[in-house]
Amino acid sequence: MDNVAHIPSYLSAEHLGPWETYLVQIDRVEPHLAADLRPLAPILTRPKRALIVDVPIRLDNGEMAHFEGYRVQHNLARGPGKGGIRYHPDVTLAEVMALSAWMTVKNAVVNVPFGGAKGGVRVEPKTLSLAELERLTRRYASEINIFLGQDKDIPAPDINTNEQVMAWIMDTFSMNEGKTAMGVVTGKPVSLGGSLGRKDATGRGVFVTTVEAAQRIGMSIAGARVAVQGFGNVGEAAARLFADAGAKVVALQDSTGSIHNPRGLDVRAAKVWSLAHHTLIGAPDSEPIDNADFWGVDADILVAAAMENQITTANAGRIRARLITEGANGPTSPEADLILQERGITVIPDVLANAGGVTVSYFEWVQDISAFFWTEEEINARLDRIMREAFAAVWDAARAKGIALRTAAFVLGCERVLAAHQMRGLYP
């Protein structure tokens, strides 16, 4: 596939960022698709809809500020759009396009009836007061309102957004509709129709898929040394679950720095310290290490749960782990992926490993629509079953075709999406 031919006019070929990574992934998977579906593959290289909005708000000092916002619906063949909203100063349209495309594949891999979507605002939320953040959220929700709806496009939290942001979006949409619309977002507070188990869902999915992979490569989780990059919602939950299972979390890294203890860190104490001091540095029984040295830590398992493009040609050769689990979206560059394959390191790809969040978002959506809610035990049991079944399907496909887990996951997900297109046909 000629990737240049699939670059839309509104993007610069020199600044594709994560979208280029996604195109390379599609290019690599295309030869492995079923022959009758292969001609449809170009559908995956074009987002269905992309919306760019101006988000003006009144600051607390009375001045007006403008922020750039996006919402991209990559593919809706299998159901309404589903994907998070992130607030970050480096968000770009190309990034949101890639994230929405990965959501398309991810939703299909775990076989939930959603298409792929994603949103973002170019803002450093730490510079805004709570009132300014609310005004930003409500204005952004109003600007993308034409995309939203429980049967059209359902946002969720992502980087720098949380259940409070989702509550504001739900309320804004509900006011415009003249009725309470719980199903328009997921990741809401439980008091507003949120699901039990949602907060830890992505990290739990990371843990469950890692356990499944470890069993298949002959690794015991009890006593395994784990390094976790990213100590937000995903990384913290995953680290805590690994520690509870008897693993030793030997290194943690977040945006403030990296800490290490070869005997194992106290994950809960590190979380308390981080919340109190806004940094991991100085956490009990830990030593600070250089961020670059984090990648060379002696560990059996590495969880990449921060941002995209973290594992690159610069550090892929230093990684000592036998197993890498992608808790973030797109943390491994295509070039680094090849290096890891050559070194025999097993990589559980993002479109499988971090799908626990969208799976429980699906549960939340179903519960909101039916007005019937499950217990946390029921949620976790359903999540674990879906993640294990999805992992087994990807693992078996990889072994049958002699391909990497990432390629196998993309084959499985892309074929489900393209089969839906094939059956629906082309309108008009």
Side-chain angles (χ1 to χ4, degrees):
M1 184 184 297
D2 181 4
N3 285 337
V4 175
H6 300 290
I7 298 173
S9 62
Y10 47 83
L11 291 186
S12 167
E14 290 75 35
H15 301 93
L16 290 178
W19 183 246
E20 184 174 20
T21 299
Y22 169 74
L23 291 180
V24 171
Q25 291 169 340
I26 294 299
D27 191 47
R28 290 178 180 174
V29 79
E30 186 179 8
H32 302 285
L33 296 174
D36 63 323
L37 296 177
R38 209 170 298 152
L40 298 175
I43 290 172
L44 300 168
T45 68
R46 296 170 172 87
K48 182 177 179 64
R49 300 187 185 106
L51 181 63
I52 306 172
V53 297
D54 177 42
V55 186
I57 67 166
R58 188 75 64 185
L59 299 176
D60 292 343
N61 63 11
E63 296 179 1
M64 183 181 292
H66 292 260
F67 302 92
E68 193 170 292
Y70 315 97
R71 187 69 184 177
V72 175
Q73 295 174 339
H74 174 259
N75 192 285
L76 305 179
R78 299 183 67 255
K82 188 79 189 76
I85 292 171
R86 64 176 50 181
Y87 290 168
H88 196 278
D90 297 329
V91 168
T92 65
L93 177 60
E95 178 186 45
V96 176
M97 285 170 55
L99 293 167
S100 70
W102 285 321
M103 287 301 302
T104 295
V105 179
K106 184 186 306 183
N107 289 328
V109 168
V110 292
N111 211 17
V112 296
F114 291 136
K118 205 76 175 187
V121 179
R122 287 177 64 86
V123 60
E124 175 49 80
K126 295 177 183 176
T127 66
L128 301 181
S129 69
L130 187 62
E132 290 169 338
L133 188 65
E134 179 177 356
R135 291 196 287 273
L136 175 84
T137 299
R138 290 184 181 276
R139 183 61 188 240
Y140 169 69
S142 295
E143 295 294 346
I144 66 169
N145 183 73
I146 56 174
F147 271 22
L148 302 184
Q150 69 177 25
D151 55 355
K152 294 168 63 177
D153 190 345
I154 307 121
D158 198 78
I159 294 173
N160 293 327
T161 58
N162 54 26
E163 64 178 20
Q164 176 61 80
V165 171
M166 293 304 108
W168 288 328
I169 293 175
M170 188 207 80
D171 182 68
T172 302
F173 183 85
S174 296
M175 291 301 102
N176 290 330
E177 291 288 300
K179 62 180 181 181
T180 298
M182 285 186 177
V184 72
V185 295
T186 59
K188 304 179 299 296
V190 173
S191 60
L192 292 177
S195 178
L196 297 170
R198 175 61 181 86
K199 187 175 186 298
D200 282 355
T202 307
R204 186 177 182 89
V206 165
F207 172 74
V208 170
T209 53
T210 305
V211 170
E212 292 296 302
Q215 290 175 348
R216 286 166 172 80
I217 65 174
M219 180 191 298
S220 173
I221 293 297
R225 298 160 299 174
V226 182
V228 180
Q229 189 210 25
F231 201 55
N233 183 47
V234 179
E236 185 275 330
R240 174 167 27 90
L241 290 168
F242 278 114
D244 289 348
K248 291 192 295 184
V249 178
V250 297
L252 294 170
Q253 182 186 99
D254 68 3
S255 61
T256 67
S258 304
I259 58 174
H260 179 237
N261 185 337
R263 297 179 302 278
L265 296 161
D266 186 330
V267 174
R268 286 179 170 80
K271 178 65 173 179
V272 171
W273 177 273
S274 177
L275 289 174
H277 299 86
H278 307 291
T279 180
L280 278 172
I281 305 302
D285 297 321
S286 72
E287 291 293 333
I289 58 173
D290 188 81
N291 282 340
D293 292 335
F294 169 86
W295 302 104
V297 164
D298 195 7
D300 303 300
I301 298 167
L302 171 64
V303 176
M307 295 278 287
E308 59 267 10
N309 202 40
Q310 297 298 299
I311 301 175
T312 66
T313 54
N315 56 28
R318 299 187 61 189
I319 294 172
R320 304 168 72 177
R322 293 173 56 198
L323 179 59
I324 296 174
T325 307
E326 295 184 333
N329 293 307
T332 308
S333 74
E335 298 79 12
D337 220 10
L338 295 177
I339 294 173
L340 297 174
Q341 287 181 40
E342 291 170 359
R343 297 185 60 212
I345 297 173
T346 300
V347 179
I348 309 175
D350 48 4
V351 293
L352 171 62
N354 67 32
V358 76
T359 301
V360 177
S361 278
Y362 166 59
F363 297 162
E364 181 175 333
W365 179 71
V366 169
Q367 291 171 95
D368 287 338
I369 291 173
S370 64
F372 182 82
F373 292 84
W374 304 324
T375 66
E376 187 165 0
E377 290 75 16
E378 289 174 314
I379 293 289
N380 288 339
R382 293 171 190 266
L383 170 62
D384 291 358
R385 176 182 58 79
I386 286 177
M387 295 302 296
R388 290 192 179 106
E389 290 176 354
F391 182 89
V394 171
W395 182 272
D396 292 345
R399 291 300 173 267
K401 296 176 179 288
I403 54 180
L405 290 179
R406 186 186 312 282
T407 306
F410 267 75
V411 168
L412 181 64
C414 291
E415 285 190 342
R416 285 173 175 168
V417 173
L418 295 178
H421 278 282
Q422 187 181 60
M423 293 301 295
R424 291 180 63 157
L426 189 63
Y427 174 85

